Amino acid sequence: MKKKQKNILPRKSNTLKLSFDTSWTYAPAPESRTSATIQPRYDLFINGKWTKPESGKYFETINPANEETLSEIAEANAADVNKAVAAARNAYEKYWKKLPAKERGKYIFRIARMMQEKSRELAIIESLDGGKPIRESRDFDIPEAANHFFYYAGWADKLDYAFPGKKTASLGVAGQIIPWNFPLLMAAWKIAPALATGNTVVLKPAETTPLTALKLAELIQEADLPPGVVNIITGAGETGAALVQHPDINKIAFTGSTEVGKMILRAVAGTNKKLTLELGGKAANIIFEDAPLDQAVEGIINGIFFNQGHVCCAGSRLYIQESVANTVIRKLKDRIETLIVGDPLDKNTDIGAINSKKQLETIHYYIKTGIQEGAEIYESSCRLPSKGFWCKPTLFLNVAQSSRIAQEEIFGPVLAILTFRTDDEVIEKANNTPYGLSAGVWTDKGSRIFNMTRKMRAGVVWANTYNKFDPTSPFGGYKESGFGREGGLHGLMPYLHLSNLIPNSTRK
Amino acid sequence: MEKTTVKKSSLSVSENGLERKKGKKRLEVLKTYKIYINGQFLRTESGRYYQPVNAAGEKLANVCLCSRKDFRDAVVAARSAFGGWSSRPALNRGQILYRMAEMLEGRKAQFVEELQRQDVSKTKAEKEVLLTVDRLIYYAGWCDKYQQIFSTVNPVSGSYFNFSVPEPTGVVSIIAPQDYPLLGLVSVMAPAIAGGNTCILLASEKKPLCAITLAETLHASDLPPGVVNILTGKLSELIKWFAEHMDVNATVFCENDVETQKMLKEKSALNVKRMIFYDNIKWETEQGQSPYFIFDLQETKTTWHPIENIGFGGGAY
Amino acid sequence: MINSNLIPDFTLSPRIDQTGAEERALRFTRRSIKKESKINGLKLVLNMIDLTTLEGKDTEGKVKQLCYKAMHLHDALPGLPTVAAVCVYPLFVKTAKKALEGSGIKVASVATAFPGGQAPRDVKIRETKFAVNEGADEVDMVISRGRFHAGEYNYVFDEIAAVKEACGPARLKVILETGELVSFDKIRRASDIAMYAGADFIKTSTGKIQPAATLPVTLIMLEAIRDFYYKTGKKVGMKPAGGISKSKTALHYLVMVKEVLGEGWLTNEWFRFGASSLANDVLMQIAKETTGIYQAANYFSID
């Protein structure tokens, strides 16, 4: 190659910096709230009717972006749980169990369609109640929730084809407890397969984000679903505990923390309740030197900042091969400067509000821990609103495998960055955790992808992508991240009794 | 499974034990029943033993009364064997299981004799042994097939290839059924290892002899050390450790005992251990074998990868 | 030119995952650009346009009319910027130069046997020198795609370096013709070759091949520019060309520049649109934003 030596350029310099503080800026683009109706008070949805709580108590649900109260929500006590379970049992025995499967399917299709029709309102309420950016609730949460109903609706009359050599039967009443990070989507993940398999449902949404589940109750009412097939009761941990302990429940499905998951495991011990748990994670996201780095950076960003990092499968442990560590970290630093943090209803917002004060305190605790542990902190230079709960996108550099921020689930926009040298080293480090929900691998080499994806002890492995979800794709963990799968054909199994060849034996 | 009527003539039981009955005066050579850990036949580290007794009141043998430390050692062995065993070609796992069946077939007489000493009638003993051989062959055949039954390719939206496959859950602790000391044990062991897991088995407390003799046949079957570890001892002493150990991924329990099930489930919360109860299985029947026994000890892994999308523009694709 | 030991092995140019790049590009289109942000953005777009005529039937008359339009985009709307440059064939450089005198608008000339580039190197050098001698401020060259596909990266590199030398003070835009390179990996590799060989701008397309400029392809090139900047400290400009005819699309590109390269590139010194019909759509949008009334094409002169 001919080399001209005219104007020699400066060698690469660490002082070079791109400025993303641009003269051309985006004007505020808030989504209008007017198309969303939120009642000042919500009762319990039991047996197809709005029912005042026996407890007589209501709690407030607030907008975490400004701490304003959105609505008052009924708090269900054990008597209310009893009512809801009785309604579900009655609907199961008297109606739902006997309904031809294809008719059952049509109800679920109807719910899917109505969710699509109301998607805008649902998206706004999801962002108001939970703090997530409207772009995500509009483009991800709500459409995925509707798609989930659509997918499972079709299974209702095809269960005979799902499990070779087995006859399927519904279980009865499913008690379902869901978290606050994807309120409506998690409701869909729980309700859709339960109904498709012929079970009836008592669902408890999280206390900080009950609104879209209650909107779903309205929608279910409008869809003319028989009373009691889906019951939605609100409350905090005690309500959940009452549901778990209720003797007339056949199935418990829980998504949430590993700590609570273990409590539930103990609580159902000695009963015949079938259980699926979808618990915490501390996923490794592994970047090899030959990876498509710019896409990997997007994967890292999507992995840890999607939904403010309130994602059980978040790629919260980043492993970068040392030879490209500086490059990737520089790209990450540039990238987080362009993340827009602020009003969840603004269409340009990338990172919304932290879901609750309590969660913000947890995140702050870990940030403090990371600093104390000697890791180097790097935050986006964005400004945070004064009211509400907010956290800047945060990177921790030079993190050790043994530090707590690399081991414990933070559930916020905080990324622990570690480096590695060889394939075997990173496999060992990635698996060096009690969790096993997900992992990410970035490399251009096909044979390495297959080695890595096989060696990761995790239920979902994203290769050259991250945080992708689909109704057809089974999701769930290894080890302390739980058991059972949601989504896809595998997601039917937790809601079915498989008979003929092994009666009376189940994986309980 | 085929009809399990056994032709008595197919059994050759004329050696060893039966000679005694003919009244020969030769002094019997008693077998020492050792436990099987990491491919070695060991005495329990505790130095303790027990003497199971049959209905006639005969002491069967001096059998190791294993301690939690034996269990601990067995878990270490099983964990270190897991990587190699789980990544073996499925075909090879199948061949090893088939080899086990071959070895068992060659020692049928010994097992029948042992079963008889443990109060199983001759007819039933012969039936149990044959069923056991067949069961191993059944699972040998599944080794490279269950993946195809339980895998899916998932038609996700977007330009991605997505598939779900079963993977072994890891180290499995198994309390073998108390009845059917041979068939029961093999019926829970075979699906575990066919699926790439490694395991620690606790033999039937009252009828432990076949388990150790089985270990001898396994040992001669090209089975790598640590894949199957067999302990003997008291269920009540050991069960807690089976369920508690943090490096055990799943526990199988086969007794219809609600109290113990409750205890096991509570302990399983320690590390979210998969707790599997087969409390009403008739192991001698068709319901005693199924690929779903393999699947019970599998995790489902879903993998995503982007698909480059170039071409497909014209009609000539 | 680059210090020799900084010239990389182009076969090792970073690999691109197409799906990921396309998803990233799609994200830029999700930005909501409203009100003053929209007006400011559209004015910026106008000021970044290389108003282009590259037809076999071009005449002096046509070029003169285009130059007038370049200086007077829509006199009914006061306060509009001019376009950045007028882009013509070498034979019309002199005409354009004269017509644009004193306006500050640059004259860009295609060269090197545009659009196919299938000519001997000395012909390409002569054509380049001709355009520069006629007064071209900028030269838009095409790379030898055939040679590139044949793996002759040194040939492609040396040709660009030679044309750069022939340009003298004129700025060199290197057209990769991404529609003929097809894969994102190759687009990235060609971008690297062009920049290390001395390109002042890299440009997607001639406008004669479909697909021309797309958001993902431009993203790949912007990221190449960013990596090159961090490696060498040298800024290289970007010019998507062909197929960008709507204001909304142009704003998506602007969002991308803002979020990939930032403030330093949000100027027509470092970012251009190669387009002929885009200007009028932008003008209609500005008129709509100013008056609140939806506009019709007949109220805006076509050139």
Side-chain angles (χ1 to χ4, degrees):
Chain A
M1 208 172 283
K2 206 161 76 182
K3 276 119 196 177
K4 312 270 174 169
Q5 295 290 333
K6 271 190 208 162
N7 26 10
I8 301 292
L9 288 161
R11 285 183 159 270
K12 80 170 165 182
S13 153
N14 293 327
T15 58
L16 294 174
K17 189 93 186 80
L18 296 174
S19 166
F20 296 98
D21 187 11
T22 56
S23 45
W24 181 54
T25 54
Y26 307 139
E31 175 70 58
S32 160
R33 277 182 66 163
T34 50
S35 52
T37 314
I38 300 174
Q39 308 294 341
R41 172 180 272 205
Y42 283 93
D43 290 318
L44 307 168
F45 185 68
I46 295 174
N47 209 25
K49 290 187 287 285
W50 294 99
T51 311
K52 297 225 171 298
E54 294 284 335
S55 71
K57 286 191 209 158
Y58 292 82
F59 61 93
E60 290 182 342
T61 186
I62 64 165
N63 178 349
N66 58 19
E67 301 173 56
E68 284 169 14
T69 300
L70 293 167
S71 181
E72 282 191 337
I73 309 295
E75 186 184 313
N77 65 13
D80 296 308
V81 170
N82 213 15
K83 264 197 215 170
V85 173
R89 172 62 58 195
N90 187 52
Y92 176 72
E93 300 293 348
K94 296 229 171 91
Y95 192 82
W96 198 241
K97 193 164 81 170
K98 299 174 190 163
L99 191 68
K102 66 169 185 176
E103 301 302 320
R104 210 164 69 210
K106 277 151 71 180
Y107 274 117
I108 307 169
F109 276 124
R110 190 188 276 182
I111 295 172
R113 272 293 194 248
M114 289 176 67
M115 283 181 87
Q116 288 173 329
E117 286 162 16
K118 298 192 168 198
S119 60
R120 184 172 176 168
E121 183 184 17
L122 290 167
I124 294 166
I125 295 175
E126 198 73 300
S127 284
L128 280 171
D129 202 18
K132 69 173 63 200
I134 187 77
R135 183 183 54 75
E136 286 178 9
S137 43
R138 178 196 66 200
D139 296 349
F140 177 75
D141 289 68
I142 311 304
E144 276 300 299
N147 292 349
H148 220 80
F149 277 102
F150 202 88
Y151 173 77
Y152 277 109
W155 265 122
D157 57 355
K158 300 169 190 69
L159 298 173
D160 287 346
Y161 298 92
F163 303 106
K166 291 287 182 184
K167 231 184 171 156
T168 65
S170 54
L171 299 173
V173 177
Q176 306 179 319
I177 299 169
I178 57 169
W180 45 260
N181 55 347
F182 296 94
L184 188 67
L185 182 58
M186 288 301 106
W189 277 31
K190 294 284 180 289
I191 296 173
L195 295 187
T197 48
N199 301 282
T200 58
V201 164
V202 179
L203 176 95
K204 188 196 88 69
E207 67 269 30
T208 63
T209 56
L211 287 179
T212 44
L214 294 164
K215 293 301 283 188
L216 178 62
E218 289 178 0
L219 188 150
I220 281 169
Q221 221 174 9
E222 279 178 57
D224 278 334
L225 200 70
V229 171
V230 173
N231 304 275
I232 295 178
I233 56 170
T234 40
E238 283 178 19
T239 312
L243 188 58
V244 167
Q245 283 158 10
H246 198 286
D248 202 26
I249 295 259
N250 303 95
K251 155 86 192 173
I252 295 287
F254 171 77
T255 298
S257 71
T258 291
E259 190 192 351
V260 176
K262 289 179 175 182
M263 282 161 54
I264 292 175
L265 246 175
R266 293 191 188 99
V268 303
T271 72
N272 277 324
K273 287 171 192 161
K274 208 168 168 170
L275 181 65
T276 40
L277 297 174
E278 219 266 75
L279 310 177
K282 188 77 184 178
N285 199 1
I286 302 165
I287 318 294
F288 284 94
E289 61 183 2
D290 67 335
L293 290 186
D294 286 311
Q295 288 75 55
V297 166
E298 286 313 305
I300 297 165
I301 294 289
N302 192 35
I304 189 63
F305 300 127
F306 177 54
N307 199 34
Q308 296 72 249
H310 301 328
V311 186
C312 46
C313 51
S316 50
R317 278 187 296 153
L318 176 63
Y319 289 94
I320 317 175
Q321 201 154 26
E322 276 188 19
S323 52
V324 291
N326 289 339
T327 307
V328 171
I329 289 166
R330 188 197 70 225
K331 284 172 185 282
L332 275 175
K333 286 178 173 178
D334 276 347
R335 183 66 178 87
I336 65 173
E337 283 302 310
T338 62
L339 291 170
I340 300 172
V341 183
D343 180 10
L345 280 192
D346 192 303
K347 291 170 197 157
N348 288 325
T349 293
D350 296 308
I351 298 184
I354 299 302
N355 186 269
S356 66
K357 188 166 184 232
K358 190 173 155 231
Q359 187 56 31
L360 184 62
E361 282 164 2
T362 304
I363 296 166
H364 282 162
Y365 166 77
Y366 277 109
I367 290 177
K368 218 171 80 187
T369 304
I371 295 168
Q372 282 166 357
E373 286 176 329
E376 181 192 331
I377 187 171
Y378 184 91
E379 292 173 318
S380 144
S381 67
C382 66
R383 279 181 297 276
L384 299 180
S386 52
K387 283 197 86 178
F389 316 127
W390 306 94
C391 182
K392 290 181 178 182
T394 304
L395 311 176
F396 271 109
L397 311 175
N398 301 319
V399 177
Q401 179 82 6
S402 55
S403 65
R404 288 182 59 198
I405 54 167
Q407 294 180 329
E408 295 172 22
E409 187 176 40
I410 300 174
F411 226 62
V414 181
L415 179 65
I417 304 179
L418 302 91
T419 58
F420 71 97
R421 294 152 299 173
T422 61
D423 297 37
D424 57 339
E425 177 191 3
V426 78
I427 290 168
E428 204 178 345
K429 284 183 169 172
N431 287 332
N432 178 213
T433 167
Y435 293 115
L437 188 51
S438 59
V441 177
W442 298 80
T443 169
D444 199 48
K445 192 177 180 196
S447 56
R448 179 179 294 137
I449 289 172
F450 283 110
N451 181 48
M452 292 300 298
T453 55
R454 205 169 70 163
K455 299 276 163 66
M456 291 297 107
R457 300 291 291 160
V460 184
V461 183
W462 288 288
N464 291 324
T465 186
Y466 206 93
N467 267 349
K468 296 285 168 208
F469 307 89
D470 194 272
T472 68
S473 175
F475 184 93
Y478 284 30
K479 304 195 280 185
E480 291 203 19
S481 290
F483 48 75
R485 291 293 175 268
E486 294 180 294
L489 181 149
H490 293 76
L492 296 167
M493 205 179 241
Y495 289 98
L496 287 170
H497 178 66
L498 302 182
S499 61
N500 262 10
L501 296 186
I502 42 169
N504 305 325
S505 86
T506 45
R507 179 168 169 166
K508 290 170 195 167
Chain B
M1 199 184 303
E2 296 304 310
K3 279 261 164 62
T4 48
T5 40
V6 179
K7 282 187 204 135
K8 286 176 191 173
S9 61
S10 71
L11 288 176
S12 159
V13 288
S14 60
E15 294 159 30
N16 299 339
L18 295 188
E19 287 173 19
R20 186 182 44 164
K21 290 187 177 169
K22 287 176 192 163
K24 288 199 176 175
K25 291 271 177 166
R26 179 179 172 272
L27 180 65
E28 216 176 332
V29 180
L30 287 175
K31 175 172 163 182
T32 304
Y33 285 86
K34 292 183 180 177
I35 55 174
Y36 186 55
I37 296 177
N38 204 26
Q40 292 178 303
F41 290 92
L42 306 168
R43 287 204 172 83
T44 167
E45 67 76 42
S46 70
R48 302 181 304 163
Y49 65 91
Y50 73 114
Q51 293 178 319
V53 179
N54 67 14
E58 295 170 345
K59 288 174 183 151
L60 295 174
N62 295 327
V63 177
C64 291
L65 193 57
C66 283
S67 67
R68 62 187 164 87
K69 288 185 180 171
D70 296 314
F71 177 68
R72 174 201 64 191
D73 293 346
V75 172
V76 171
R79 176 58 65 193
S80 59
F82 176 64
W85 182 244
S86 60
S87 56
R88 274 202 185 219
L91 172 73
N92 182 248
R93 286 207 303 267
Q95 286 177 332
I96 290 175
L97 261 79
Y98 188 82
R99 181 74 180 149
M100 291 179 188
E102 287 178 338
M103 300 309 286
L104 212 79
E105 177 90 15
R107 293 175 71 167
K108 278 183 300 195
Q110 188 182 354
F111 284 106
V112 170
E113 188 263 346
E114 272 179 356
L115 284 170
Q116 283 183 265
R117 279 177 63 204
Q118 296 173 110
D119 304 325
V120 181
S121 75
K122 188 176 177 210
T123 317
K124 280 193 171 170
E126 287 170 344
K127 186 180 161 194
E128 182 171 349
V129 172
L130 292 187
L131 273 173
T132 304
V133 173
D134 289 355
R135 190 139 295 169
L136 278 169
I137 288 170
Y138 175 83
Y139 283 109
W142 267 122
C143 285
D144 51 5
K145 296 169 193 67
Y146 71 89
Q147 300 87 339
Q148 294 175 306
I149 305 293
F150 297 115
S151 291
T152 54
V153 170
N154 310 308
V156 296
S157 302
S159 195
Y160 293 93
F161 187 69
N162 175 298
F163 60 98
S164 298
V165 293
E167 284 188 350
T169 200
V171 173
V172 183
S173 65
I174 303 173
I175 320 285
Q178 296 301 305
D179 298 330
Y180 293 108
L182 179 64
L183 176 65
L185 184 132
V186 166
S187 297
V188 286
M189 175 198 78
I193 62 173
N197 298 285
T198 56
C199 62
I200 304 101
L201 289 140
L202 179 62
S204 169
E205 184 176 324
K206 288 187 177 148
K207 302 174 180 178
L209 303 190
C210 297
I212 297 306
T213 308
L214 177 75
E216 291 163 15
T217 65
L218 300 185
H219 194 62
S221 308
D222 308 322
L223 186 71
V227 174
V228 173
N229 304 275
I230 301 181
L231 307 182
T232 51
K234 282 203 187 316
L235 191 149
S236 56
E237 260 182 37
L238 287 167
I239 190 160
K240 168 174 174 321
W241 309 105
F242 270 59
E244 275 185 350
H245 199 300
M246 296 297 275
D247 207 21
V248 171
N249 300 93
T251 298
V252 176
F253 181 64
C254 305
E255 306 314 307
N256 193 355
D257 169 356
V258 176
E259 274 311 299
T260 308
Q261 287 181 352
K262 181 165 189 279
M263 182 276 284
L264 289 171
K265 197 62 141 314
E266 282 167 352
K267 300 261 184 229
S268 77
L270 279 169
N271 66 339
V272 194
K273 200 176 274 99
R274 283 75 175 124
M275 196 53 69
I276 295 141
F277 299 150
Y278 299 130
D279 49 14
N280 199 10
I281 307 283
K282 295 182 174 60
W283 297 106
E284 76 283 15
T285 68
E286 191 74 13
Q287 65 161 224
Q289 61 180 24
S290 149
Y292 290 84
F293 285 113
I294 302 176
F295 189 66
D296 282 345
L297 294 170
Q298 300 288 307
E299 305 288 331
T300 298
K301 175 182 279 178
T302 301
T303 305
W304 292 69
H305 197 278
I307 302 173
E308 191 164 82
N309 191 12
I310 296 176
F312 213 165
Y317 169 74
Chain C
M1 279 303 115
I2 312 288
N3 189 332
S4 61
N5 57 21
L6 283 178
I7 295 176
D9 176 352
F10 294 112
T11 61
L12 299 178
S13 275
R15 296 310 196 260
I16 311 295
D17 180 71
Q18 186 203 23
T19 306
E22 286 176 346
E23 284 179 2
R24 175 67 178 129
L26 195 66
R27 270 291 286 276
F28 296 114
T29 69
R30 294 286 187 266
R31 291 291 190 217
S32 177
I33 308 299
K34 298 276 185 247
K35 298 174 190 149
E36 70 273 17
S37 175
K38 187 170 181 183
I39 293 189
N40 293 340
L42 291 174
K43 286 182 178 171
L44 200 51
V45 168
L46 275 185
N47 192 230
M48 288 171 164
I49 290 175
D50 282 5
L51 204 60
T52 301
T53 182
L54 292 169
E55 293 175 353
K57 63 179 189 282
D58 281 348
T59 59
E60 283 192 17
K62 158 81 185 184
V63 170
K64 280 180 189 166
Q65 285 196 46
L66 192 75
C67 290
Y68 188 84
K69 169 83 175 179
M71 294 183 287
H72 305 272
L73 282 168
H74 193 67
D75 287 344
L77 281 171
L80 289 180
T82 64
V83 297
V86 167
C87 183
V88 295
Y89 272 116
L91 290 175
F92 302 103
V93 168
K94 195 171 258 174
T95 308
K97 191 75 185 171
K98 196 168 169 226
L100 294 169
E101 208 171 345
S103 68
I105 298 171
K106 304 275 196 275
V107 174
S109 170
V110 297
T112 71
F114 179 95
Q118 299 283 24
R121 185 174 295 173
D122 60 328
V123 173
K124 294 181 178 181
I125 300 297
R126 270 184 58 203
E127 192 188 10
T128 305
K129 285 184 173 158
F130 171 80
V132 175
N133 287 338
E134 294 283 281
D137 304 296
E138 299 168 357
V139 171
D140 291 24
M141 74 170 287
V142 291
I143 66 163
S144 295
R145 282 90 76 189
R147 298 283 192 147
F148 177 84
H149 282 304
E152 296 175 35
Y153 303 132
N154 288 359
Y155 181 94
V156 176
F157 182 98
D158 291 346
E159 186 171 81
I160 296 167
V163 173
K164 170 68 181 168
E165 195 173 19
C167 280
R171 296 177 86 197
L172 175 65
K173 305 194 196 103
V174 178
I175 302 171
L176 309 181
E177 196 65 300
T178 54
E180 289 189 341
L181 303 185
V182 179
S183 85
F184 287 10
D185 295 326
K186 285 192 168 181
I187 291 166
R188 169 66 195 232
R189 188 177 298 177
S191 302
D192 287 346
I193 291 171
M195 289 187 295
Y196 279 95
D200 298 297
F201 267 83
I202 50 177
K203 176 176 169 183
T204 59
S205 321
T206 60
K208 307 295 182 194
I209 295 285
Q210 287 302 320
T214 66
L215 279 168
V217 160
T218 306
L219 173 64
I220 300 309
M221 294 168 71
L222 289 173
E223 286 171 343
I225 290 170
R226 184 180 57 190
D227 289 350
F228 182 76
Y229 172 72
Y230 275 120
K231 277 247 164 59
T232 66
K234 189 190 171 195
K235 285 172 86 170
V236 173
M238 174 69 205
K239 180 178 172 184
I244 306 168
S245 57
K246 296 291 174 206
S247 306
K248 195 168 185 178
T249 316
L251 286 174
H252 293 158
Y253 279 89
L254 215 55
V255 165
M256 195 153 70
V257 176
K258 171 177 157 61
E259 298 197 21
V260 176
L261 290 168
E263 179 70 2
W265 272 259
L266 278 173
T267 149
N268 68 10
E269 194 186 352
W270 297 111
F271 193 81
R272 298 283 178 83
F273 290 101
S276 44
S277 61
L278 173 63
N280 267 11
D281 193 67
V282 173
L283 291 169
M284 283 166 67
Q285 287 301 320
I286 292 177
K288 191 261 154 186
E289 286 297 312
T290 321
T291 64
I293 296 162
Y294 289 103
Q295 301 295 307
N298 275 350
Y299 293 82
F300 296 83
S301 64
I302 49 177
D303 59 27

